[in-house]
Amino acid sequence: MRVLARYPILLAGALITGALILTAVLSLVWTPLPPAQINILQRLKPPLEQGLLGTDQFGRDMASMLMAGAWNSLSTAFLAVAAGACIGSVLGLLAAAGRDLLQTVLMRICDVIFAVPPILSAMALGAFLGAGRITAIIAIGTFMIPVFARLTLAGALQIWTRPYVLAAIGMGRSAVRITLVHVLPNIGNQIIVQVTIQLGLAILTEAGLSFLGLGLAPPAPTWGRMLADAQTFIGQAPWLAVLPGAAILMAVMGFSLLGDGLRELLDPRAR
Amino acid sequence: MASLIARRLVSLVVTLLVTSLLIFLVMDLLPGDPAAVMLGTSASPDTLAALQRELGLDQPLPLRYLGWISGVLQGDLGTSYTYGVPVAGLIVERLAVTLPLAAMAILISLMIAVPMGVEAARRQKGLVDLTVGLFSYIGIAVPAFWLGLLLILLFATNLGWMPAGGFPGWEAGALLALQALLLPAVALALPQAAVLTRVTRAAVLETLSEDFVRTARAKGLGEGGAVWRHALPASLVPIIAVFGLQATFLVAGAVLVENVFNLPGLGRLAYQALSQRDVIVMQDVVLFFAALVIVMNFLVELAYILVDPRLRAERS
């Protein structure tokens, strides 16, 4: 606790993301009303008049939909970042242990992947695979690969020049063993920080994909699609447009604060 | 320096070719036959076979790639299946919206970010700095398309000062066209400005402690003069570098914001191609955007070789 008080950014990030994750998990067992329950008589009611946060154009409870949306958004973002971080880090570690040629080829491929925004790759994928969680995860995860490959390669190359690694090479240790025993533990912190920051960006991208209709299929509520639906009713029911966006903003800000806070905590040079 | 630029040019061409190959392979390897995707499930086998022939799908893979890429190099991007017109023309037409939109967004973000970053750096840890820090946290997290919705809510629905969307076309007069682009450009610019503010602040902070800034102050130059005339120009390299990195996000943002404001730009074209399953337009637009990002990164690299004499000396 005392550690948290010394790092206000970390504290703020931990509080926001903690509340978000709790809400998401809670939505699996309890929401005020079933998020898909339609009640046409109570449609477009403002916050507090009907339910805590009002109702949408079908009379569905906004608070319940936002809670379920938190789970959908977080789980998609988490799976995408996990996939991208694993593949990217392994590629980066391999390239660092390998030859110059491998590094050059890998970095060129990373440049190319990084040039295609996930929104576009999701659109291209969506045309063939159809919209859905898998399309979103593949598109976001692919974009994460170069991010983690570059980070890991840069970090790992530094470690490979350290005296203790040179000693290990001299003792005839294999590249795999050196990577696992010396390199990975030393860059683990950087990867954790980056995972946290990228989680926020993945939530942002997922919201954009759902907004375009490339996310989870209805009736599963997503923050992005709630915003897309809100466009039609923006004059009558402004809360429909304000609330889901505020949820996205808080979620992304929470993870970016947490990431910066963790960096401060884990990297003594950043203090 | 000429040989340095030549080397970068060769690597640019190689990257572009690899990109085109990757996009082609991915679109080709994806399950589903483009002809079947375009025609839908109810197509008769005869129409399907005819379209497959028309698209050249009956030819082997390397030939198809060569056919596509040699067409692209000659400015022939194929014919859109839904619009029935050459894709190249469609892209050029849509660029007349997307390019000014992106340019306005970049301009607005610079106008916000540079003064904010510089002032925050001058008063490090002061009230201004804290406010700017908070702004950048919010700005980075705010979805550009949501910001667009809020701007519509405020300036179009409630105040009625601005159109809620749509584009009158440049024929309607530059003023009307620019007005239609203003809100979308602001929505696109704010998240960019947040990132740029951080970078500007960090870069100016670093140069403020350098000898030449101290000399400028010792010469009797006012505090403002020392910062704006000496520290800021020396901080330009990281600021320019961010534009290269942000190009991808600018493209993604444009796709979303164009859809919020109903602007007939390239992003909207990609979205329409998706919903109409126009694979040829899709493939060309993805290649175009990717090439745009790569070329922008190349130009950024050129720019900082030109801006920073130290890099010029080191690299050549």
Side-chain angles (χ1 to χ4, degrees), chain B:
Chain B
M1 197 164 79
S3 80
L4 174 65
I5 293 176
R7 267 210 311 275
R8 299 297 312 153
L9 260 175
V10 171
S11 119
L12 170 75
V13 171
V14 172
T15 314
L16 284 174
L17 280 177
V18 173
T19 311
S20 71
L21 187 64
L22 266 182
I23 291 174
F24 180 82
L25 282 179
V26 168
M27 299 291 273
D28 201 87
L29 289 178
L30 283 173
D33 168 6
V37 165
M38 281 156 66
L39 289 173
T41 42
S42 56
S44 75
D46 285 349
T47 2
L48 193 65
L51 183 64
Q52 277 173 337
R53 247 194 324 281
E54 199 192 311
L55 295 176
L57 289 175
D58 47 352
Q59 287 169 358
L61 189 95
L63 265 185
R64 263 185 288 148
Y65 173 71
L66 285 178
W68 178 57
I69 202 68
S70 67
V72 168
L73 288 176
Q74 291 162 34
D76 173 17
L77 299 177
T79 306
S80 157
Y81 185 70
T82 41
Y83 295 92
V85 294
V87 184
L90 268 181
I91 290 183
V92 170
E93 193 182 294
R94 301 300 184 101
L95 268 180
V97 176
T98 303
L99 273 188
L101 176 66
M104 274 170 85
I106 290 176
L107 205 68
I108 296 172
S109 67
L110 275 175
M111 283 178 352
I112 300 172
V114 172
M116 278 178 77
V118 170
E119 289 307 305
R122 277 178 61 182
R123 301 180 174 79
Q124 199 193 356
K125 305 223 158 112
L127 190 63
V128 177
D129 193 19
L130 282 178
T131 318
V132 167
L134 189 67
F135 161 80
S136 69
Y137 265 114
I138 295 175
I140 288 171
V142 76
F145 58 98
W146 181 54
L147 202 59
L149 279 178
L150 293 184
L151 290 172
I152 291 177
L153 186 62
L154 181 64
F155 290 104
T157 314
N158 287 340
L159 296 171
W161 291 354
M162 291 280 176
F167 188 69
W170 292 101
E171 315 84 66
L175 204 66
L176 273 178
L178 287 177
Q179 195 191 12
L181 292 181
L182 185 60
L183 287 188
V186 170
L188 208 51
L190 278 182
Q192 303 290 320
V195 178
L196 217 56
T197 304
R198 276 193 183 182
V199 176
T200 309
R201 177 183 174 277
V204 172
L205 263 183
E206 209 172 301
T207 40
L208 272 182
S209 59
E210 298 225 16
D211 290 344
F212 63 87
V213 178
R214 201 183 324 144
T215 311
R217 282 187 184 135
K219 258 182 3 187
L221 207 60
E223 178 63 30
V227 173
W228 286 92
R229 294 222 353 245
H230 292 273
L232 183 62
S235 320
L236 277 180
V237 169
I239 298 176
I240 296 173
V242 169
F243 271 108
L245 284 177
Q246 288 292 304
T248 320
F249 298 99
L250 199 65
V251 166
V255 173
L256 287 161
V257 168
E258 280 175 7
N259 276 294
V260 172
F261 286 92
N262 226 336
L263 295 175
L266 260 190
R268 184 103 191 117
L269 179 67
Y271 180 69
Q272 286 162 335
L274 168 76
S275 45
Q276 289 151 347
R277 312 197 142 226
D278 196 334
V279 178
I280 301 169
V281 172
M282 200 74 223
Q283 191 168 324
D284 286 338
V285 172
V286 172
L287 176 70
F288 182 83
F289 271 134
L292 197 68
V293 172
I294 292 170
V295 170
M296 222 161 129
N297 273 302
F298 169 75
L299 291 178
V300 161
E301 213 164 322
L302 270 195
Y304 49 79
I305 294 174
L306 294 177
V307 165
D308 193 332
R310 286 168 300 184
L311 287 176
R312 218 178 308 159
E314 256 171 50
R315 293 193 186 185
S316 52

Side-chain angles (χ1 to χ4, degrees), chain A residues 19-49:
Chain A
L20 179 74
I21 293 170
L22 273 180
T23 313
V25 173
L26 179 65
S27 80
L28 293 178
V29 289
W30 179 84
T31 49
L33 285 169
Q37 182 178 305
I38 291 172
N39 182 355
I40 226 72
L41 291 174
Q42 298 294 341
R43 67 194 293 265
L44 298 177
K45 290 278 191 269
L48 294 177
E49 195 174 302

Side-chain angles (χ1 to χ4, degrees), chain A residues 221-245:
Chain A
T222 57
W223 293 339
R225 200 179 41 252
M226 288 169 81
L227 281 176
D229 292 343
Q231 277 181 287
T232 324
F233 305 95
I234 194 147
Q236 294 166 269
W239 63 92
L240 293 185
V242 173
L243 293 173

Side-chain angles (χ1 to χ4, degrees), chain A residues 85-107 145 148-157 160 175-180 183-184 187 191:
Chain A
C86 287
I87 299 175
S89 304
V90 168
L91 286 177
L93 287 173
L94 273 178
R99 302 272 161 97
D100 284 352
L101 181 67
L102 187 63
Q103 287 168 22
T104 315
V105 170
L106 180 72
M107 286 303 108
I145 294 175
F148 286 95
R150 284 174 179 169
L151 176 86
T152 323
L153 176 63
L157 281 178
W160 273 95
V176 176
R177 187 154 170 197
I178 293 176
T179 299
L180 290 179
V183 180
L184 190 56
I187 59 171
I191 297 179

